[in-house]
Amino acid sequence: MKQEAKVGQNPKGVDLCRREMLIGAGALMAGAALSQLSMVVPAVAAKTAGGGEVWPWPYEKIDPARAGETAYQAWYEVFCSQAVTLGLFQQLRETVGEPWTSFPIGSLRFGMGGMLGWGLTCGAPVASALVIGLVTPGETATPMVRELLQWYAETPLPVYAATNPRFSGEIPRTTAQNPLCHQSVGRWMKAADRPFGSDERRHRCASVTASVAYRTAELLNDWKDGKYVAPKSVWDGAAAMGLPSQQNCMSCHGDSVPTPPRGI
Amino acid sequence: MKQEAKVGQNPKGVDLCRREMLIGAGALMAGAALSQLSMVVPAVAAKTAGGGEVWPWPYEKIDPARAGETAYQAWYEVFCSQAVTLGLFQQLRETVGEPWTSFPIGSLRFGMGGMLGWGLTCGAPVASALVIGLVTPGETATPMVRELLQWYAETPLPVYAATNPRFSGEIPRTTAQNPLCHQSVGRWMKAADRPFGSDERRHRCASVTASVAYRTAELLNDWKDGKYVAPKSVWDGAAAMGLPSQQNCMSCHGDSVPTPPRGI
């Protein structure tokens, strides 16, 4: 399946300025040279699944609300990436068993704080991407993970409200604009005017973690029911911008967006 | 183990300007409020390893050069995150067997292009972090992954030279300054003046992937020999900057680096 960003077809909630659309248009005209990230994957799937690999891991539909609440509560002990993993694994361990039971959730700890404090990709969608990759081999995982990332970037988060919240006040919802921990947390901190160590920020990240677990469960349940339809337009930075990129160049680069070299 | 960045102790090759050091100093004075990402983890390890989990996964020392060459060649089929995983798994499947044999490497596909084209964290260190997390439970993985990320950010890459390269010319080595695919690839493309679809760029990313597999094997071998010593100073963005962050604020923010809210 070829996934390409439709330039000018503005993903909901993400601003593509004219400068960015022009870059995108140039990249799309470059065409086949940029197809690395859009290539067909069944051959890869067949090769890596050989030699004793178990793939896909068996999946039974899970309750998104229970996955969300488990992830919310777990955040306070293990933070985002492990909490999402536990939220999604818990019911599969009960209904399916192996390989979900023996896989060590603690191995995902590295995702917290955008790789242990670097503010890189938020650990919640990283953990979800691994689970989606385990459940849906080959082509399916790619559009589903891209859809999840775009949802994370565009949605005022958190959307999940804990049944047993550990902070009782109201907190703002903010749009991260991309899946980076630094920007996701930073934009929220600015809107809330609360520091990183505050109860509000902790409740916010726990609730975002729960939101990601909930949304991932919804996507996987749709897939299990045969109802999952890959969106027609998902972000493919390499195809749109000439190298792997977010949509919002100018939020970092300002008016001086570099132009990558073109051609083969 | 408490890991904190030593402000003013400039990590090799990473420029901390005065503005950034001042931010860091302020954050460190905030002290305990920012300790989330530095907390002690044995309690977490004990909890998540219960209930039938297999952790750590058995490890035998592997040949870094073979891991690197396998990763280099695999990149041309499966790209960075799966290639690193295969490079590290291959010998463990031969010498150890399970659980390495049955885990599906294709589930890591999401890492390529910094999460499927978004230019987020490079998929090579994401895959390495998972393997380090599987092999070394609890505290050890945290400083080791942080050390790997810092090495990735500071080292002119690639350092691995393939035994059977698929491109025969010389290519430049560039310092990514952080582990983001967008910046790692972008800085190299600028230095090389070659586009994303070029043979040189593909050879470069394959060689970076191999370099990461090689370095990860070295770290894990040292750990297996009981010789691994966690560096005294590794980056902890939350402690240094007041929220999960890279070291080089101004490379994105210019002269207008936002100041996060302080206090509890």
Side-chain angles (χ1 to χ4, degrees):
Chain A
M1 176 180 301
K2 190 147 183 170
Q3 294 291 335
E4 283 185 350
K6 300 293 183 295
V7 173
Q9 196 175 45
N10 190 351
K12 187 179 64 173
V14 176
D15 289 329
L16 281 182
C17 70
R18 180 161 174 76
R19 166 70 172 138
E20 289 161 357
M21 284 196 288
L22 286 173
I23 293 172
L28 281 182
M29 283 187 282
L34 300 171
S35 64
Q36 172 194 316
L37 293 175
S38 309
M39 70 182 299
V40 177
V41 294
V44 170
K47 284 201 181 187
T48 58
E53 287 192 357
V54 175
W55 200 30
W57 286 13
Y59 182 79
E60 297 296 334
K61 286 173 66 178
I62 65 180
D63 174 5
R66 187 177 163 206
E69 190 69 16
T70 297
Y72 176 86
Q73 301 299 338
W75 185 93
Y76 285 86
E77 284 193 71
V78 294
F79 310 124
C80 54
S81 50
Q82 288 182 84
V84 163
T85 313
L86 182 63
L88 296 170
F89 272 38
Q90 184 184 53
Q91 295 171 65
L92 294 164
R93 287 176 168 181
E94 293 168 3
T95 59
V96 176
E98 289 295 349
W100 303 102
T101 305
S102 60
F103 185 85
I105 289 173
S107 64
L108 269 292
R109 182 171 192 272
F110 70 85
M112 62 180 273
M115 298 284 278
L116 300 166
W118 276 75
L120 308 169
T121 316
C122 169
V126 169
S128 286
L130 179 63
V131 175
I132 291 170
L134 290 168
V135 169
T136 66
E139 287 187 44
T140 306
T142 297
M144 192 184 289
V145 171
R146 282 177 165 157
E147 180 174 356
L148 182 72
L149 292 173
Q150 195 148 339
W151 169 87
Y152 184 101
E154 296 172 2
T155 304
L157 292 175
V159 293
Y160 181 82
T163 305
N164 293 300
R166 302 205 191 188
F167 177 81
S168 58
E170 291 291 313
I171 58 168
R173 293 179 178 178
T174 49
T175 304
Q177 299 186 23
N178 62 60
L180 289 173
C181 168
H182 178 72
Q183 296 204 19
S184 176
V185 174
R187 288 187 205 283
W188 183 88
M189 285 170 61
K190 185 175 181 181
D193 194 26
R194 297 298 294 147
F196 189 68
S198 65
D199 289 344
E200 292 91 331
R201 201 283 305 171
R202 293 164 60 79
H203 171 63
R204 180 266 176 190
C205 279
S207 301
V208 169
T209 295
S211 306
V212 171
Y214 191 107
R215 181 72 189 126
T216 305
E218 285 184 326
L219 290 167
L220 288 174
N221 286 349
D222 280 352
W223 172 81
K224 180 68 176 178
D225 281 341
K227 294 190 300 186
Y228 178 71
V229 179
K232 290 184 178 174
S233 172
V234 289
W235 181 247
D236 183 338
M241 297 295 188
L243 80 167
S245 300
Q246 301 170 187
Q247 285 106 321
N248 48 347
C249 312
M250 298 172 78
S251 83
C252 287
H253 288 296
D255 292 333
S256 305
V257 181
T259 304
R262 301 295 176 189
I264 299 298
Chain B
M1 176 181 301
K2 189 146 183 167
Q3 294 291 333
E4 282 184 350
K6 300 293 183 296
V7 174
Q9 194 175 45
N10 190 350
K12 187 180 65 174
V14 175
D15 288 329
L16 281 184
C17 70
R18 180 163 173 74
R19 167 71 173 136
E20 289 160 357
M21 285 197 287
L22 286 173
I23 294 172
L28 282 182
M29 283 187 284
L34 299 170
S35 65
Q36 172 192 316
L37 293 176
S38 310
M39 70 183 299
V40 178
V41 293
V44 170
K47 285 202 181 188
T48 58
E53 287 192 357
V54 176
W55 200 31
W57 286 13
Y59 182 78
E60 296 295 336
K61 285 172 68 178
I62 65 180
D63 175 4
R66 187 178 163 206
E69 190 68 17
T70 297
Y72 175 87
Q73 301 300 337
W75 184 92
Y76 285 87
E77 285 192 71
V78 293
F79 310 124
C80 54
S81 49
Q82 288 182 85
V84 163
T85 313
L86 183 63
L88 296 170
F89 271 39
Q90 185 184 52
Q91 296 171 64
L92 293 164
R93 287 176 168 182
E94 294 168 3
T95 58
V96 176
E98 289 294 349
W100 302 102
T101 305
S102 60
F103 185 85
I105 290 172
S107 65
L108 269 292
R109 181 171 192 271
F110 69 84
M112 62 179 277
M115 299 282 280
L116 301 165
W118 277 74
L120 308 169
T121 317
C122 169
V126 169
S128 286
L130 180 63
V131 176
I132 290 170
L134 290 168
V135 169
T136 65
E139 287 188 44
T140 306
T142 297
M144 193 183 289
V145 171
R146 282 177 166 158
E147 179 173 356
L148 182 73
L149 292 172
Q150 196 149 338
W151 169 87
Y152 184 102
E154 297 171 3
T155 304
L157 292 175
V159 293
Y160 181 82
T163 306
N164 294 300
R166 302 205 191 187
F167 177 81
S168 57
E170 292 290 314
I171 59 168
R173 292 178 179 178
T174 49
T175 304
Q177 299 186 23
N178 62 61
L180 289 173
C181 168
H182 179 72
Q183 297 205 19
S184 176
V185 173
R187 289 186 205 282
W188 182 88
M189 285 171 61
K190 185 175 182 182
D193 194 25
R194 297 298 294 147
F196 189 69
S198 65
D199 289 344
E200 292 91 331
R201 201 284 306 172
R202 293 164 60 78
H203 171 63
R204 180 267 176 190
C205 279
S207 301
V208 169
T209 295
S211 306
V212 171
Y214 191 107
R215 181 72 189 124
T216 305
E218 285 185 326
L219 290 167
L220 288 174
N221 287 349
D222 280 352
W223 172 81
K224 180 70 176 178
D225 282 341
K227 294 190 300 186
Y228 177 71
V229 179
K232 289 184 179 174
S233 173
V234 289
W235 181 247
D236 183 337
M241 297 296 188
L243 80 167
S245 300
Q246 301 168 187
Q247 285 105 323
N248 47 347
C249 313
M250 299 172 78
S251 82
C252 287
H253 288 296
D255 292 332
S256 305
V257 181
T259 303
R262 301 294 176 188
I264 300 296

